[in-house]
Amino acid sequence: MEAVKQINVGLLGLGTVGMGVVKIIDGHQEDLMKQTGNRIKVVKALVKDINKKRDWTRSEQLLTSDPWEILRDPEIDIIIEVMGNIEPTFDYLMYALKQGKHVVTANKDLIAMHGAELLAQAKESKCDLYFEESVAGGIPIIRALVEGFASDRITKLIGIVNGTTNYILSKMSEEGRPFEEMLVKAQELGYAEADPSSDIEGLDAARKMAILSNLAFHMEVHFDDVMLKGITQVTQEDIQFSKQLGYEIKLLGIAKLNDNQIEVSVQPTMINKEHPLAKVNGVFNAIYVYGEAVGETMFYGPGAGQLPTATAVVSDLVTVVKQMNLGVNGRGVIPPYRNKQLKSDDLIESSYFIRLKVVDEVGVLSLLTHPFADLRVSIQEVLQVPANEEGKAQLIIITHTTSKAQMNQLIEEINALDVVDHIYSIYPVEEGEAE
Ligand SMILES: NC(=O)c1ccc[n+]([C@@H]2O[C@H](COP(=O)([O-])OP(=O)(O)OC[C@H]3O[C@@H](n4cnc5c(N)ncnc54)[C@H](OP(=O)(O)O)[C@@H]3O)[C@@H](O)[C@H]2O)c1
């Protein structure tokens, strides 16, 4: 009988996700063996602080604080990187790929910044590089984009890809409480970090949208290409008015392709409350994919957490081992092959919600509509309500589709009107239609 070949895995990082990976590999050993024909074993794990107290029942000998013990070990076939950060991680992974080791990584920051270089090195070294878990934790969206939609042309993605902000916004909507209070609640529950800026400023979601757009449109999309606005300015009043008009406010990542040009954004957006994404609440993630042939599909599930993320890591690991057995590693690596063309502001289109404080007197509405008429921005709906200040009123306007360039001009002109006291907020409005 042929001996079962053991595949040796080196873990870079043994924190939340790393421990989950070990649990799944150990707990599913028999299934993994059936699926791959191999015994898969974690033989070494890199940590920062070797003396840290951790839930680790295996030999202490398996832990190291020296990365080279793993990276230079010729017996280690696959590196799983779950330590985070860009440096020194990027150098470690480049080295590993150059040594012919396959890599699975959960590191969205690294993939968003250096994905193209790592993929190019993987291709050159005939190695696999997988990163399913870097976006939307337990949802297999990357595999869906790369394999499931390989024959289709994706024209639009809408994603709720940050659980922390989705928790805060859905709680603000359900409980009618302000942003600051819901942020503290998210921190108490462990959904938000002590320094929450990467989540609430939209940076985390922007990195994930850069990765998804890259794969969907086959263009080298960078973090800097993403138009970005966080949720810190979203007020309870905005949420209440949007509900009144039939919308929910979500931090949406939107990526669109029209005539070979793309736009990618992450910003608080009003989405029609009948759209399935409006019903994605709490820390859950969801990605809505529009394909020319397939039409509309939606992927929904846990966006983070130890076991959902670790499951995605181990699924990537299974793919790598299967490909090792077939001798086809690195063949599936497809670096971006289309030239990136970003749309200019006059081609980026949306409807908008504008909430403003005006002087409460006869003729204001007529004055206010002049800039709209001049710039040919048509109004879909207007709501007038009293402001909490004598002699002032609030106007809520929803426009029909207009370009970002026209919108910027319109806001400048409205701001210059004497009857306008203050523009509280502006949100894009998404009805969820295909492009
Ligand atoms: N947590 C999630 O739900 C989730 C979801 C999706 C993706 N991810 C991604 O997965 C990665 C890991 O996240 P995590 O939550 O598991 O992080 P974590 O709990 O902070 O664990 C990080 C691990 O890496 C080790 N480490 C960090 N820097 C190191 C260095 N310079 N040298 C040696 N070891 C180092 C740490 O060592 P010590 O143990 O000694 O401190 C720790 O074991 C990140 O890229 C994250 O963005 C996480």
Side-chain angles (χ1 to χ4, degrees), residues 13-34:
L14 191 63
T16 307
V17 181
M19 285 302 296
V21 168
V22 174
K23 272 186 211 165
I24 291 179
I25 292 180
D26 287 355
H28 298 190
Q29 198 49 239
E30 206 181 316
D31 281 317
L32 296 179
M33 175 105 88
K34 289 249 160 43

Side-chain angles (χ1 to χ4, degrees), residues 157 208-219 221 255 264:
L157 297 173
K208 292 167 178 168
M209 286 308 296
I211 296 173
L212 293 181
S213 312
N214 215 303
L215 299 170
F217 305 138
H218 306 287
M219 294 180 191
V221 181
V264 188

Side-chain angles (χ1 to χ4, degrees), residues 76-97:
I76 290 181
D77 309 285
I78 303 171
I79 300 288
I80 292 182
E81 186 274 300
V82 279
M83 59 186 262
N85 292 323
I86 308 276
E87 288 300 343
T89 322
F90 174 64
D91 295 337
Y92 293 172
L93 296 192
M94 282 300 265
Y95 183 88
L97 290 167

Side-chain angles (χ1 to χ4, degrees), residues 143-184:
R143 193 156 281 129
L145 291 179
V146 174
E147 293 171 17
F149 296 114
S151 62
D152 204 349
R153 188 149 212 227
I154 294 168
T155 52
K156 183 171 172 183
L157 297 173
I158 312 181
I160 295 177
V161 289
N162 180 274
T164 309
T165 46
N166 200 50
Y167 173 84
I168 294 172
L169 290 176
S170 37
K171 279 287 162 194
M172 283 175 75
S173 174
E174 282 163 23
E175 297 184 10
R177 309 297 305 161
F179 167 79
E180 291 76 13
E181 207 176 293
M182 292 301 109
L183 169 61
V184 170

Side-chain angles (χ1 to χ4, degrees), residues 423-435:
I423 297 181
Y424 292 109
S425 45
I426 304 160
Y427 295 99
V429 177
E430 175 63 49
E431 299 293 344
E433 284 149 2
E435 283 303 291

Side-chain angles (χ1 to χ4, degrees), residues 365-382:
L365 206 52
S366 145
L367 274 176
L368 197 73
T369 52
H370 284 154
F372 283 84
D374 293 347
L375 289 160
R376 301 186 166 280
V377 177
S378 65
I379 294 175
Q380 184 182 313
E381 205 165 343
V382 182

Side-chain angles (χ1 to χ4, degrees), residues 385-420:
V385 287
N388 297 335
E389 199 181 324
E390 203 161 317
K392 299 280 160 50
Q394 281 198 71
L395 280 181
I396 290 102
I397 299 170
I398 296 201
T399 72
H400 280 292
T401 302
T402 185
S403 73
K404 190 173 174 215
Q406 268 175 313
M407 194 61 199
N408 290 341
Q409 178 73 31
L410 178 70
I411 293 302
E412 218 172 276
E413 293 193 15
I414 292 177
N415 243 333
L417 293 173
D418 288 341
V419 292
V420 172

